[in-house]
Amino acid sequence: MISTRTFHLASYHFFPQGSQEKILLEDEAAGVLFDFQEATDADKLYIQLFDQGFQYPPSKLYRQDAAFGQADVIHVTCRFETDVPCQIQLFKMQYGNKKRMGSESEFVMLDGATDLQIQLERVKGAQYFKIAFKFLVAGDVRIRLTELKIAERIQLKQEDPHYAV
């Protein structure tokens, strides 16, 4: 069984980490604008879905949106728009009630309108998830996030094979 949630995109879902003084977030009709200013290769330009540091689960404010619930797998669909090609490092993190329980990352290239399909297979005991994007950019770069959907896949329990109707 699959259920889908579409997030109303607003900057309060996203938190800059690292070189925060070089990151501006703006709400727009078309989504959320990530505006990186005077970035250098040495900057750490992270945008995280939901709050708290990378080591900790989201605060109570976001736990309902970040919960695995009964899901075994979370599918996140994001659409980015950029005028210049941009490489990002994508982090997929999972948490128990107090600490991070698992993390993996991969590199992705954004070019024009780019749809990302992100899958998180729940690790044993995980209650919550977060996604972070590390933007590997230099100079002044503007990137829009125009769509964010979360689909949950819940594994149905198999019926007892000895049960007869």
Side-chain angles (χ1 to χ4, degrees):
M1 179 172 91
I2 296 177
S3 68
T4 302
R5 295 180 276 162
T6 300
F7 274 76
H8 173 69
L9 283 173
S11 60
Y12 74 87
H13 288 299
F14 300 93
F15 289 82
Q17 302 281 354
S19 306
Q20 296 179 25
E21 70 280 1
K22 296 195 176 186
I23 305 171
L24 294 175
L25 303 181
E26 291 180 39
D27 292 318
E28 292 187 328
V32 178
L33 176 67
F34 304 143
D35 191 0
F36 303 102
Q37 302 177 341
E38 300 177 10
T40 68
D41 293 337
D43 290 329
K44 293 178 171 69
L45 305 171
Y46 293 92
I47 303 287
Q48 173 184 275
L49 178 61
F50 310 129
D51 64 354
Q52 306 268 46
F54 293 149
Q55 294 301 317
Y56 303 103
S59 70
K60 291 180 182 177
L61 181 64
Y62 295 100
R63 288 203 173 176
Q64 183 175 347
D65 289 337
F68 272 97
Q70 299 300 312
D72 298 314
V73 178
I74 299 284
H75 296 276
V76 180
T77 303
C78 304
R79 171 168 270 216
F80 287 97
E81 296 176 358
T82 180
D83 292 335
V84 295
C86 167
Q87 186 175 38
I88 63 171
Q89 187 174 8
L90 168 68
F91 294 88
K92 302 180 277 185
M93 300 168 282
Q94 298 185 43
Y95 301 84
N97 284 321
K98 297 189 187 240
K99 66 179 184 172
R100 188 167 59 186
M101 300 181 70
S103 180
E104 54 186 301
S105 74
E106 62 187 84
F107 289 92
V108 178
M109 182 62 77
L110 303 181
D111 192 1
T114 306
D115 292 323
L116 294 184
Q117 303 293 323
I118 304 163
Q119 181 173 300
L120 291 98
E121 292 190 28
R122 186 179 194 168
V123 298
K124 186 175 180 178
Q127 300 296 313
Y128 307 101
F129 72 94
K130 286 198 272 188
I131 296 171
F133 308 99
K134 181 180 182 183
F135 292 86
L136 306 169
V137 298
D140 295 337
V141 179
R142 301 177 73 142
I143 299 169
R144 277 182 191 78
L145 177 63
T146 59
E147 184 178 342
L148 178 66
K149 290 183 183 175
I150 297 176
E152 303 167 339
R153 189 174 76 209
I154 301 169
Q155 185 116 356
L156 297 176
K157 305 291 184 237
Q158 291 204 334
E159 297 294 325
D160 183 347
H162 302 292
Y163 182 78
V165 177

